């Protein structure tokens, strides 16, 4: 899971290894994605963003993933009140 924080910094959460967030740079994110996609090209990548993050920031991350040939990208949506 790629997390876009309120201040637009990035973090990673590998749910197979727990719920801990790891702050990453754009380069570190790309390196991590490339490494995992090399092992499993169909591994989906989920993006979650703070509700105050501008839509353009989410699009930037989606574009970055697309340029890395990530085949499956999803958006994590949290419904308020649940």
């Amino acid at each position: 899971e790629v997390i876009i924080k309120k201040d637009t910094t990035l973090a990673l959460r590998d749910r197979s290894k727990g719920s801990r967030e790891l702050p990453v740079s754009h380069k570190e994110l790309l390196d991590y994605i490339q490494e995992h996609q090399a092992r499993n090209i169909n591994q989906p990548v989920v993006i979650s963003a703070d509700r105050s993050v501008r839509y353009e920031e989410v699009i930037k991350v989606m574009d970055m993933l697309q340029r890395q040939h990530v085949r499956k990208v999803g958006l994590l949506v949290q419904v308020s009140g649940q």
Side-chain angles (χ1 to χ4, degrees), residues 11-13 18 22 34-36 41 43 45-47 49 52 56 58-59 64 66 70 73 77 79-80:
L12 278 172
R13 178 183 296 137
L22 175 67
Q34 286 176 339
E35 178 184 328
H36 282 74
I41 198 156
Q43 174 71 43
V45 176
V46 176
I47 300 171
S52 65
E56 290 82 8
V58 177
I59 295 298
M64 184 172 55
Q66 184 179 34
V70 175
V73 177
V77 178
V79 180
S80 59

Side-chain angles (χ1 to χ4, degrees), residues 11-25:
L12 278 172
R13 178 183 296 137
D14 186 340
R15 292 189 180 270
S16 69
K17 296 179 181 175
S19 61
R20 197 180 109 214
E21 292 180 12
L22 175 67
V24 292
S25 68

Side-chain angles (χ1 to χ4, degrees), residues 4-32:
I4 307 172
K5 303 271 192 179
K6 188 182 294 190
D7 62 0
T8 71
T9 58
L10 301 175
L12 278 172
R13 178 183 296 137
D14 186 340
R15 292 189 180 270
S16 69
K17 296 179 181 175
S19 61
R20 197 180 109 214
E21 292 180 12
L22 175 67
V24 292
S25 68
H26 283 79
K27 167 112 175 63
E28 291 168 328
L29 172 64
L30 291 178
D31 291 345
Y32 183 90

Side-chain angles (χ1 to χ4, degrees), residues 51-67:
R51 71 181 316 155
S52 65
V53 170
R54 294 176 49 101
Y55 188 68
E56 290 82 8
E57 294 299 324
V58 177
I59 295 298
K60 283 181 190 176
V61 173
M62 290 177 74
D63 182 54
M64 184 172 55
L65 295 173
Q66 184 179 34
R67 283 185 269 129

